[in-house]
């Protein structure tokens, strides 16, 4: 089975722009979670999607949003980028949810905001 | 919000020794406690997890203990090997499908 894939792997944007990141889960997995990883803040939960519905959202501003499609692929969007949004964005998929089954992480998208 | 505290932030042991990493959480609704290992430049990988109805779980050289009353859980690695060197993250998940992570412990196993 193919693992979790994320595109693009690297991205450079400037302040004020918006960005869309994509995550393709392992086949059959219906849950996709998104995380932000920075040296200063560590790993922080953004949100989880299950069957096209957002189940929970972490403590991030409304500039961070996401969605999930019927094939379980998920996208994350960040609008009005700030320098502090520079981070590694990881997604993870699981069969039925991040508390139910093991999560498998993707390789991440490294976003640099200039 | 609810936090997960992880200690120590760095840990250096000699090959063959044991390593212990401790985490505390504050959300009493937390009921799922995974541990992830992240090698340099790689993605986090689940190494062991425990649920709130269990006090201890073991998988070969790795064990996790949970004290729900005290709200703390620990990772124990015995007979450490150089390939155990990585950053280890604890996390606590609650019924509202939230997941909080500790800040990570950088473990170095010296040959």
């Amino acid at each position: 089975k193919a693992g979790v894939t994320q595109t693009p792997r690297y991205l450079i944007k400037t302040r004020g722009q918006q960005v869309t990141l994509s995550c393709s889960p392992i086949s059959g997995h219906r849950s996709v979670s998104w995380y932000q990883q920075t040296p200063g803040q560590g790993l922080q939960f953004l949100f989880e999607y299950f069957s096209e519905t957002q189940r929970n959202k972490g403590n991030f501003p409304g500039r961070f949003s996401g969605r999930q499609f019927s094939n379980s692929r998920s996208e994350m969007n960040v609008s009005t980028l700030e320098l502090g949004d520079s981070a590694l964005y990881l997604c993870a998929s699981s069969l039925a949810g991040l508390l139910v089954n093991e999560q498998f992480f993707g390789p991440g998208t490294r976003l640099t905001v200039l | 919000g609810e936090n997960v505290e992880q200690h120590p932030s760095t840990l250096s042991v000699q090959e063959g020794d044991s390593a212990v990493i401790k985490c505390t959480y504050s959300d009493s609704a937390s009921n799922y406690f995974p541990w992830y290992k992240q090698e340099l430049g790689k993605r986090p990988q689940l190494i062991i997890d425990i649920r709130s109805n269990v006090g201890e779980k073991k998988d070969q050289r790795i064990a996790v203990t949970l004290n729900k009353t005290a709200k703390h859980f620990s990772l124990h690695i015995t007979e450490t090997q150089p390939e155990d060197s990585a950053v280890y993250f604890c996390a606590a998940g609650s019924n509202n499908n939230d997941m909080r992570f500790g800040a990570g412990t950088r473990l170095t196993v010296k040959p």
Side-chain angles (χ1 to χ4, degrees), chain B residues 2 25-31 33 52 68 71 93-95:
Chain B
E2 307 290 353
Y25 62 97
S26 55
D27 185 359
S28 55
S30 297
N31 57 6
F33 307 91
S52 57
K68 278 209 74 177
K71 292 183 185 169
S94 62
N95 285 331

Side-chain angles (χ1 to χ4, degrees), chain A residues 37 56 99-100 103 105, chain B residues 36 38 43 46 51 94 96:
Chain A
Q37 186 171 31
N56 197 45
L99 297 187
V100 180
Q103 287 191 98
F105 282 85
Chain B
Y36 293 92
Q38 187 173 27
R43 68 195 78 181
L46 179 74
R51 297 190 183 273
S94 62
N96 61 0

Side-chain angles (χ1 to χ4, degrees), chain A residues 93-114:
Chain A
S93 77
S94 66
L95 275 169
L98 61 89
L99 297 187
V100 180
N101 307 106
E102 178 179 355
Q103 287 191 98
F104 294 86
F105 282 85
T109 293
R110 185 163 296 281
L111 171 64
T112 302
V113 182
L114 302 175

Side-chain angles (χ1 to χ4, degrees), chain A residues 39-83:
Chain A
Q41 299 295 321
L43 264 170
Q44 292 187 285
F45 171 76
L46 280 154
F47 30 65
E48 183 200 15
Y49 283 87
F50 181 82
S51 292
E52 302 178 66
T53 301
Q54 187 182 88
R55 287 216 282 209
N56 197 45
K57 194 175 190 298
N59 191 26
F60 277 80
R63 299 185 297 108
F64 291 81
S65 63
R67 59 178 176 167
Q68 188 179 33
F69 302 95
S70 57
N71 62 358
S72 294
R73 188 177 71 85
S74 177
E75 286 183 347
M76 190 192 87
N77 186 75
V78 188
S79 62
T80 321
L81 284 166
E82 301 176 359
L83 295 178

